[in-house]
Amino acid sequence: QVQLVESGGGLVQPGGSLRLSCAASRSTFSIYVMGWYRQAPGKQREMVALMYRVGNTNYADSVKGRFTISGDITKKTVYLQMNSLTSDDTAVYYCKMSGVLGSTEYWGKGTQVTVSS
């Protein structure tokens, strides 16, 4: 049994901040990359931020300078600090963790982030 549990989503005003959290439970597995994706209504799911066991990170151009990913890939916990939020950030945010060479891929159920005044 593999379960990723996200938390921290909600309603926030433009310019505000949120911190998303994700943790794996109910299973033992090795993770090589973990991070966050998001999907807005009528749009494709897109990568937001990733972190790798080798130490590097990757961000979507739209969030660079505003979002920061952090976590412990060994403990299988990952966070996303989101600052200077705009309405374009409104989406369901999904946590993802993957094993080396795509041997495993796990997704959370998603947490809603709504940026609105």
Side-chain angles (χ1 to χ4, degrees), residues 4 6 92-95 107-111:
L4 304 185
E6 303 118 324
V92 177
Y93 285 70
Y94 298 90
C95 177
W107 291 87
K109 294 182 179 179
T111 184

Side-chain angles (χ1 to χ4, degrees), residues 3-4 18-19 27 35 42 47 72 76-77 93 100-101 105:
Q3 181 176 329
L4 304 185
L18 285 174
R19 180 178 170 88
S27 181
M47 184 274 291
D72 188 327
K76 303 179 181 66
T77 57
Y93 285 70
V100 64
L101 301 176
E105 186 175 275

Side-chain angles (χ1 to χ4, degrees), residues 11-33:
L11 175 65
V12 64
Q13 296 185 71
S17 298
L18 285 174
R19 180 178 170 88
L20 305 183
S21 301
C22 177
S25 63
R26 300 186 180 181
S27 181
T28 58
F29 54 97
S30 181
I31 293 298
Y32 189 77
V33 57

Side-chain angles (χ1 to χ4, degrees), residues 4 7 15 22 27 32 34 44 49 64 66 70 99 115:
L4 304 185
S7 64
C22 177
S27 181
Y32 189 77
M34 61 185 188
Q44 291 291 116
K64 287 180 179 177
R66 300 189 297 120
S70 63
V115 184

Side-chain angles (χ1 to χ4, degrees), residues 15-76:
S17 298
L18 285 174
R19 180 178 170 88
L20 305 183
S21 301
C22 177
S25 63
R26 300 186 180 181
S27 181
T28 58
F29 54 97
S30 181
I31 293 298
Y32 189 77
V33 57
M34 61 185 188
W36 298 89
Y37 291 70
R38 67 185 181 187
Q39 187 169 22
K43 296 185 177 180
Q44 291 291 116
R45 187 172 299 185
E46 64 175 347
M47 184 274 291
V48 177
L50 299 173
M51 61 182 295
Y52 301 83
R53 184 178 292 275
V54 293
N56 58 323
T57 59
N58 190 27
Y59 293 92
D61 288 341
S62 60
V63 308
K64 287 180 179 177
R66 300 189 297 120
F67 291 10
T68 303
I69 188 169
S70 63
D72 188 327
I73 205 159
T74 301
K75 295 181 178 180
K76 303 179 181 66

